[in-house]
Amino acid sequence: MWRLDLIRPYQLQRLMVLADPDADPMGMGYNATQARIAIGSGGLLGKGLFHGEQTAGHFVPEQHTDFIFTVAGEELGFLGAACVILLMLALLWRGLWIAAKSPSPFGRPVAGGVVCWLAFQTFVNVGMTMGLLPVAGLPLPFVSYGGSATISSLAAVGLLAAVNRRTRTPA
């Protein structure tokens, strides 16, 4: 793909880092390496809010946006990170329920699209912080700091609420 000029050099470097993040731990592999260290150091219960050495020492770059899940993993531990994922799964499950119950041929794909969008963004963010996917720069919906990401996520949930409101029959 690189020889056909379908991907850029920085994208190739991200794929190389995914294959072996320890090959360049102070260069291109820095983000992935520090994210794995932060998540792994949290243990089962975490180190407590604002007591994570990796996040307090700013070893994890962009920890308030792209790598927010590392903060959950280090400070809240496995159980806290699992709770974050379970809350997202509950939102996605409710969105699927709204899509399934919608009588409107327009409401079903809108609700389904919102669920797919939020699920993809969550999967990519958690996957890249755990070293399962290349670093892509997608924020974790409703958790990452950021104006435009938060506004678009809230607008998406507003669409789900609008589809749900149309689903109900007046009593």
Side-chain angles (χ1 to χ4, degrees), residues 143-169:
V143 181
S144 294
Y145 172 81
S148 60
T150 303
I151 288 171
S152 60
S153 297
L154 289 172
V157 170
L159 285 172
L160 284 177
V163 170
N164 188 38
R165 194 176 89 208
R166 295 272 185 190
T167 302
R168 297 182 188 173
T169 56

Side-chain angles (χ1 to χ4, degrees), residues 12-61:
L12 181 64
Q13 287 177 336
R14 287 183 180 182
L15 291 174
M16 301 284 257
V17 166
L18 177 64
D20 187 15
D22 297 327
D24 188 15
M26 296 307 290
M28 285 299 293
Y30 183 78
N31 294 357
T33 302
Q34 294 301 322
R36 284 188 330 200
I37 291 170
I39 290 175
S41 69
L44 182 64
L45 298 174
K47 298 182 176 184
L49 282 177
F50 311 112
H51 295 298
E53 290 94 8
Q54 292 293 113
T55 53
H58 300 288
F59 293 108
V60 179

Side-chain angles (χ1 to χ4, degrees), residues 108-169:
R108 251 178 263 122
V110 166
V114 166
V115 169
C116 288
W117 169 34
L118 294 176
F120 177 78
Q121 204 164 338
T122 301
F123 179 75
V124 169
N125 184 280
V126 172
M128 76 177 190
T129 56
M130 293 175 61
L132 302 173
L133 294 172
V135 176
L138 285 177
L140 187 61
F142 303 110
V143 181
S144 294
Y145 172 81
S148 60
T150 303
I151 288 171
S152 60
S153 297
L154 289 172
V157 170
L159 285 172
L160 284 177
V163 170
N164 188 38
R165 194 176 89 208
R166 295 272 185 190
T167 302
R168 297 182 188 173
T169 56

Side-chain angles (χ1 to χ4, degrees), residues 84-114:
V84 170
I85 292 173
L86 286 174
L87 287 171
M88 281 304 299
L89 285 175
L91 175 67
L92 296 173
W93 182 259
R94 180 64 178 175
L96 287 175
W97 183 86
I98 290 170
K101 296 294 180 184
S102 175
S104 165
F106 179 71
R108 251 178 263 122
V110 166
V114 166

